[in-house]
Amino acid sequence: MSVLVTGGAGFIGSAVCRHMAQNPDNTIVVLDKLTYAGGLAALDPVRQTPRFVFVRGDIGDEALVGKLLVHHQIDHIMHLAAETHVDRSIDAPSAFMVTNVMGTYSLLQAALAYWRSLSSGDRDGFRFHHVSTDEVFGDLPFDDSRFTETTPYAPSSPYSASKAASDHLARAWHRTYGLPVVLSNCSNNYGPYHFPEKLVPLMILNALDERQLPVYGAGANVRDWLYVEDHARALVMVSQSGTVGESYDIGGEAECSNLD
């Protein structure tokens, strides 16, 4: 299988690549523009793997994406490229609109043109997997409630609004044009190569340096934590076995408050 992984040098994307590289039959093509949150070090374990290709570029470059799809005869697109930090989205939302909304639009357009060029058999096997977040669902009450695939969208930050918009675009390209799309929404990830602005590595590094541990509000907010390598395995399963047009929530069933 030949897979294009956008954002493959990022935290979750690199975990997907490391997992997929274990199968020698997979060709993995990474497209990443290497923003501050992406780094080739996370791909070092697989960069020398046969049938691994890294391309530095932007998902908003439709011509580049189109060339990659044709040249590598891509079967699946796993779209993980995104701006992801809530606080950054509040301070500077523009980059989130450009990458998460317009970048996804450009990627969908390139994928649609490529998919339409395929033979009927290859069309049937093609998938566009849009990877998203449970942030699009807003906040849960302080009880045992959980998000499900039917939870209404209620984004509460520029980041979550941009991801909600990209989710809707992916669904629209499936319903309007027939592009074979699957979607997934995940809870908070943690694990190797996590960028230090995120909560878990931030707390660990602050503790090691004997600095204060920042806690939002009273610390009662609850998060569900998902190990990134478990998430990577789930993403590959959704991409390869998910039903076209369906969404899948992926969580770790490891809820705890910020004070736990």
Side-chain angles (χ1 to χ4, degrees), residues 6 82-83 95 130 195 219:
T6 71
E83 297 284 347
H130 178 64
F195 193 74

Side-chain angles (χ1 to χ4, degrees), residues 94-149:
S94 177
F96 291 76
M97 303 304 118
V98 171
T99 297
N100 298 357
V101 181
M102 293 307 299
T104 298
Y105 160 74
S106 296
L107 188 65
L108 284 164
Q109 286 289 81
L112 180 62
Y114 171 71
W115 176 69
R116 284 174 167 171
S117 74
L118 297 175
S119 65
S120 58
D122 289 337
R123 280 192 186 188
D124 292 340
F126 182 81
R127 294 291 183 274
F128 184 106
H129 180 185
H130 178 64
V131 180
S132 189
T133 169
D134 65 359
E135 294 273 356
V136 300
F137 303 129
D139 301 320
L140 284 172
F142 292 109
D143 56 24
D144 293 331
S145 301
R146 294 184 179 182
F147 297 128
T148 71
E149 288 81 358

